Structures are given as structure tokens and as C-alpha cells.
Amino acid sequence: MGTLTSLLNIANEALLADQAALNATANNVANQLTPGYTREVVSFQSGDSVSLSGMAQSSGVTATVSSQRDRVLEQRVQQQTQATAQSTALQTALQQVENIFGLTSASTGSGAVASSQLGTAINGFFSSLSSLEANPSDTATRQKVLTAASALAGAFNTASSQLSQISTSLNQKVSGDVSQINSLTSSIASLNSKIASSSPNGDAGSFEDQRQEDIDQLSQLVGLDQISTSNNGIALTTSSGAVLVSGDQSFQVSTTQVGGNTDVLAGDPPQDVTSNLSGGDLGGALQARDQYLPAYSAALDNLAFSLGTAVNQQNELGVDSSGNPGLAIFSLPGSATGSAASIAVSATAPGAVAAASAGEGSSGNGNATTLADLSTTNVVGSQTATGFLASFLDQVGSDASGATTENTTQQATLTQLTTQRNSLSSVSSDEEASNLTQYQRSYQAASQVFSIVDTLMASAINLGEQTTVT
């Protein structure tokens, strides 16, 4: 009877172990499409042996269910997610800049100038001066010069305004990212608390899956450093070291306005960490806003100021249609800063265009010739206006192309790492079908053993008399 009882216990333990395995398989199949779900795997272990009457007897088998995850691989995926999200945000912003100037992958140099609104306006302005050179006394031709000047100023204004709109959009993105970051860090801190309560020393199953999914989403927003802590917890800081999550406490990120930009405050106590943030959508937005857009705006301002100043100075050396010294055609600020946004035509009458040189009389064309020659004169440092614009557009195109190439590389690396993680942690229908068959057969076998032992025990108790076992 003792041996039969032991065999009955072994069969019972096998049934319980197989049932746990079947439950894990069912859970895997049910959550196959659940974002962040990590498949559960079953490990069978033999129970401790006990000695009865000098004979070693097994106490059966137990099943342990755990999630199949690799913390190191998870962190590699998170880090790559941060790099990819940053390159994506930068690429998007620089492509928007390209669109302002009508750039394509094939447009470079003079071709880029000709295809851009600003380049067309510059060429149109100098073309109007060439026409004035041929017909300096014609009022309509003088008016065309002012019209072309207005178109040029408008092109500068539009380009500057569109760059400002991109910057404004990036500021809004910063605010939106910060709001999402706070929501996720609060959730991660709460999950840390639940994990510490439910499974401080082992796998916490769905709680860990939820926390991992939140960290994945957080990695798309900002660069992170992750530290494993006691009680199966995770602490998170920004890439610059500002604490975001510590145990069951999250530290809110906030924004502040500095010089018209939305900057980021983080840590305990909160400090401005904008210049040190990298990674994620937030890092890419700040990179575009604080590194690339200011350089583009400065170049545009420099071109507007230098060209406008050169035209004004030359016009002031000539004589207008009334025989008076010429005045400035463009109104400009005192320095290059803000010139593209504020440049405007100050001359109101066609006669204000000083076509004649001093001493020629008002019908001369000497100054018109010099004004037209500004198209081939180095007015922006050591470059002509169109030459400077061509270099500027080439730089914009090169930056955008570089960002696209970088993003393609980062995406490929992320895909590779994600595939590695999925091969380990995601659910395979074929594998689960195979496991289900195996566990079902094992359960049936254990059931048969249980039934046979039960029958034998009933027979023994009834001294061999046939009875019905219920």
C-alpha cells in the first residue's frame, strides 16, 4: 500500500505539472498578439527522493513557469530604439527644411539655386537690373526692379518664416514628448511597486512584460540609462544622469521657456538638462532645433543682410530719376541677425532706383550696370549671392542626406536586434502546437497511471473482490 500511495502521489504531481504546462501554453497562444508579451516556458524538475525501508523513492515532478527574456538583449534593443528614434526625428526635420527650398536628391549647386524660390527671386532681381541697364529712362522698367526687389524680400521673409514654423513645431514636439515621458515614468514606478510586492526575487510575469513595454515606449521618446535594483526593480535616468524613476517613485520632467525655445527640466532637484539630452524623439527634436536650424537661419540672415546692404550702398552712389542722390532700396536691421525675416523694400517710387552714375545725368545707366554686376561680385564674404546660396543649399541637402543614411543604418540594426529578441521571447504557433500535443499526451499518461493505481488500491482494500471505483 505504501508503494501504491507513493505511485499515486507521483501520478498526482505529474498531473499538476502537466496542467501548469498546458496553462502556460494556453496563455502563450492567447497573448500571441499582445504588445510586449514575453512567452512563458516550462521547466520540469524531479522532486527530492525519500528513503523508505532502505529504498529510495521519488516524490514526483514539479513544473516551473517563467518568462523567456534576456535582460541584456532587452537593453540593447532599448538603446538602439533610442538611437533610431533620434535619427528619425532629425531626418524628418531636415527633410522639412529641404522642402522649404524645393530640394531633391538630385538638386545641387546652380541646379538647386534655380529650383528654389529664393534662387529664382535673386536671379529675377538681377535680371531686372540688367533690363534697366538697357533702358534706364523707362519708368515701367524701373518699376519692374522694385517688383523684383519685393519678390526677393518676400522670398527671404517666407523662407525665414518657414524655418521659424519648423522650430515652433519642434518646440511643440518637446512639450508633447515631455507629457508622454511623465505618463510612462509614473506607470513604470507603479509597476516597480507591484513587482516588489508580488515577486521581489523572481520572474513577475505580466507585470514585467508591462514594465518592459513601457520602457520600450519611453526609449522612443528619450535616451535612457537603466539600472537593476533590489526587489526586482529598475531605476531609470536620462542619458545625462537626471533621475526619472527610482523604486516606486517617478520624478516629473517639466518645460520652461528660454529665449523663445521650450527647454527641459529634469532630476531632483529639477535642472535644465536640454543641452545634455540625447536619444529618442526628444533628442532628435532638440538636435534639429538647437544645432541645425540656428545655423540655417544665420546663413539666410547673412545672405539677406549682405545682399541688401550691397544693393543699398551701390544705389546710394547713383542718381535717381529726379537727379538726386539715390537712397536705400531695402530696409534692413542694424546687423545680420533677423535680416531674412525683416528685409523689405523701402523705396516706394520707380524713380528711386538710381540707374545713372554721378555726373551722367538722370538718364544715364552707369550705376544700373554696376548694380547688375553685383550678380557676379563677392557680396557675401568671398562668394557671390548665388554662389553663397548654392553652398548653403548643398549643405542643407548634405545634412538631410546624411540623416537619411544614418536613419537607414539605425533602422537596420534595430530590426536585427528586434529579430533576435523575438526569436527568444515571442510566441511561435508551431512550437506551441507541438508543446500542446506533448503536454496533452503526458497528462493522459499520468491520468492512466492514476486510474490504474486507484483501481489497484480499491482491489487491495476489498481483498481482491471486484468493485466499482468512483
Side-chain angles (χ1 to χ4, degrees):
M1 289 292 290
T3 302
L4 287 177
T5 301
S6 298
L7 186 57
L8 189 65
N9 288 334
I10 290 172
N12 183 60
E13 291 296 323
L15 285 172
L16 293 174
D18 289 330
Q19 185 60 60
L22 287 169
N23 290 341
T25 299
N27 198 34
N28 285 341
V29 173
N31 289 281
Q32 184 173 7
L33 301 179
T34 301
Y37 178 76
T38 302
R39 71 184 178 98
E40 294 180 339
V41 294
V42 182
S43 299
F44 294 97
Q45 298 90 26
S46 298
D48 295 334
S49 297
V50 295
S51 179
L52 293 175
S53 302
M55 298 180 63
Q57 298 187 25
S58 172
S59 60
V61 65
T62 59
T64 301
V65 179
S66 60
S67 299
Q68 186 76 353
R69 59 169 58 89
D70 183 331
R71 286 284 181 85
V72 174
L73 183 56
E74 289 286 359
Q75 289 198 39
R76 290 182 63 194
V77 171
Q78 291 159 21
Q79 291 166 357
Q80 188 59 41
T81 297
Q82 296 161 27
T84 302
Q86 176 168 347
S87 66
T88 298
L90 178 60
Q91 176 192 18
T92 299
L94 295 186
Q95 286 177 339
Q96 291 174 346
V97 177
E98 278 192 308
N99 292 337
I100 291 176
F101 300 102
L103 295 176
T104 65
S105 58
S107 55
T108 58
S110 59
V113 171
S115 64
S116 68
Q117 180 185 3
L118 183 55
T120 300
I122 291 175
N123 290 333
F125 177 67
F126 283 123
S127 178
S128 71
L129 290 174
S130 295
S131 297
L132 180 64
E133 179 185 3
N135 197 2
S137 300
D138 183 58
T139 301
T141 304
R142 289 172 178 267
Q143 181 59 52
K144 289 180 179 179
V145 172
L146 294 184
T147 300
S150 294
L152 176 58
F156 275 117
N157 298 160
T158 298
S160 178
S161 175
Q162 290 175 326
L163 286 177
S164 295
Q165 289 172 13
I166 294 176
S167 183
T168 298
S169 176
L170 292 172
N171 278 325
Q172 293 171 348
K173 182 187 286 287
V174 169
S175 296
D177 286 347
V178 164
S179 177
Q180 293 182 66
I181 288 169
N182 288 333
S183 176
L184 289 168
T185 54
S186 177
S187 175
I188 292 168
S190 175
L191 288 166
N192 271 343
S193 177
K194 293 177 181 178
I195 290 170
S197 299
S198 64
S199 184
N201 300 312
D203 180 61
S206 61
F207 284 150
E208 285 200 49
D209 288 343
Q210 293 172 35
R211 183 175 66 182
Q212 193 59 55
E213 178 67 11
D214 284 348
I215 293 175
D216 285 346
Q217 293 184 38
L218 191 60
S219 295
Q220 295 176 18
L221 296 172
V222 65
L224 299 171
D225 284 330
Q226 177 177 318
I227 305 169
S228 296
T229 61
S230 59
N231 297 324
N232 203 11
I234 286 179
L236 299 174
T237 68
T238 67
S239 54
S240 60
V243 62
L244 296 175
V245 176
S246 179
D248 61 357
Q249 186 175 6
S250 64
F251 296 86
Q252 297 287 287
V253 181
S254 60
T255 60
T256 185
Q257 295 299 309
V258 178
N261 281 332
T262 301
D263 281 5
V264 181
L265 303 177
D268 182 28
Q271 296 180 347
D272 193 326
V273 296
T274 308
S275 61
N276 295 321
L277 284 177
S278 63
D281 186 72
L282 182 58
L286 292 173
Q287 184 181 12
R289 188 197 71 182
D290 297 341
Q291 297 180 27
Y292 287 89
L293 288 182
Y296 297 155
S297 294
L300 203 62
D301 285 342
N302 189 20
L303 177 58
F305 185 77
S306 298
L307 178 56
T309 298
V311 171
N312 285 348
Q313 290 175 345
Q314 189 58 50
N315 199 66
E316 290 168 355
L317 294 176
V319 177
D320 65 17
S321 63
S322 300
N324 297 316
L327 300 176
I329 291 180
F330 295 105
S331 62
L332 294 165
S335 65
T337 303
S339 292
S342 62
I343 187 173
V345 175
S346 56
T348 56
V353 181
S357 297
E360 278 189 329
S362 59
S363 61
N365 69 347
N367 203 51
T369 299
T370 306
L371 282 168
D373 287 344
L374 289 177
S375 64
T376 57
T377 302
N378 293 338
V379 296
V380 192
S382 60
Q383 295 178 288
T384 64
T386 54
F388 181 88
L389 179 59
S391 297
F392 167 67
L393 296 180
D394 281 349
Q395 184 62 55
V396 171
S398 176
D399 290 343
S401 177
T404 299
T405 300
E406 174 67 14
N407 183 245
T408 299
T409 301
Q410 298 289 3
Q411 290 281 6
T413 303
L414 178 60
T415 298
Q416 182 181 26
L417 288 172
T418 302
T419 300
Q420 292 178 18
R421 181 183 66 178
N422 290 345
S423 66
L424 174 70
S425 300
S426 63
V427 177
S428 167
S429 297
D430 292 341
E431 184 177 355
E432 296 306 322
S434 175
N435 288 341
L436 181 61
T437 301
Q438 176 186 343
Y439 300 148
Q440 282 178 330
R441 290 176 177 174
S442 179
Y443 188 93
Q444 290 169 352
S447 297
Q448 288 293 325
V449 172
F450 193 96
S451 178
I452 292 170
V453 172
D454 195 23
T455 300
L456 290 173
M457 290 185 70
S459 178
I461 292 172
N462 291 279
L463 301 177
E465 184 176 340
Q466 187 69 31
T467 60
T468 301
V469 178
T470 59

